[in-house]
Amino acid sequence: QVQLVGSGGGSVKPGGSLRLSCEISGFTSRSYCMAWFRQAPGKKREGVAGFDSNGSTIYADSVKGRFRISKDKANTILYLQMNSLKPEDTAMYYCAADPWVGICNNLDAWEGDFRYWSQGTQVTVSS
């Protein structure tokens, strides 16, 4: 049974940093796309960053240069380092995983097809 458990959310001031973690268990596929999504109140869930088994990464334009997705060597923890946080980054953040590498090519288009999801972790950026 695949399980994703997200953590690390919290409240920070604009310009601050947070690191989200997603512990992944039971996921054994050698090919994969692992990604972070977020959903702000009243808005559609959007892709933030993705990392595939070929080593490629993808970022939403709104977070490029500020966020970095990474994972540990055992593929058991997915991270999202968030720097220079802005109020518009406030949202519930989710990690997701799927054995299909191609799903990483367009996170927003394939969002509904991700097979495995974590519960959300709240990030609030406010002065």
Side-chain angles (χ1 to χ4, degrees):
Q1 183 180 357
V2 177
Q3 191 172 20
L4 279 65
V5 180
S7 63
S11 295
V12 294
K13 293 184 178 180
S17 297
L18 279 175
R19 187 175 79 161
L20 304 184
S21 298
C22 178
E23 293 187 44
I24 303 170
S25 59
F27 188 88
T28 59
S29 177
R30 290 189 176 185
S31 65
Y32 57 81
C33 171
M34 296 180 180
W36 288 95
F37 289 81
R38 67 185 181 188
Q39 188 168 22
K43 293 190 176 181
K44 187 179 175 182
R45 189 158 57 185
E46 63 174 353
V48 175
F51 183 106
D52 71 26
S53 49
N54 295 324
S56 298
T57 56
I58 185 171
Y59 292 93
D61 287 343
S62 59
V63 306
K64 281 181 182 176
R66 299 189 298 121
F67 290 12
R68 189 172 80 92
I69 188 171
S70 63
K71 63 174 184 63
D72 71 332
K73 288 184 179 180
N75 287 347
T76 58
I77 307 178
L78 184 70
Y79 299 104
L80 185 67
Q81 178 66 43
M82 305 185 295
N83 299 324
S84 303
L85 282 160
K86 303 176 181 180
E88 51 263 45
D89 295 317
T90 295
M92 190 72 76
Y93 283 72
Y94 304 87
C95 61
D98 195 272
W100 181 38
V101 173
I103 207 171
C104 257
N105 290 334
N106 190 325
L107 298 178
D108 289 334
W110 296 105
E111 175 257 340
D113 292 288
F114 273 84
R115 197 170 305 184
Y116 307 109
W117 289 88
S118 70
Q119 87 292 359
T121 185
Q122 178 69 36
V123 172
T124 302
V125 185
S126 173
S127 55

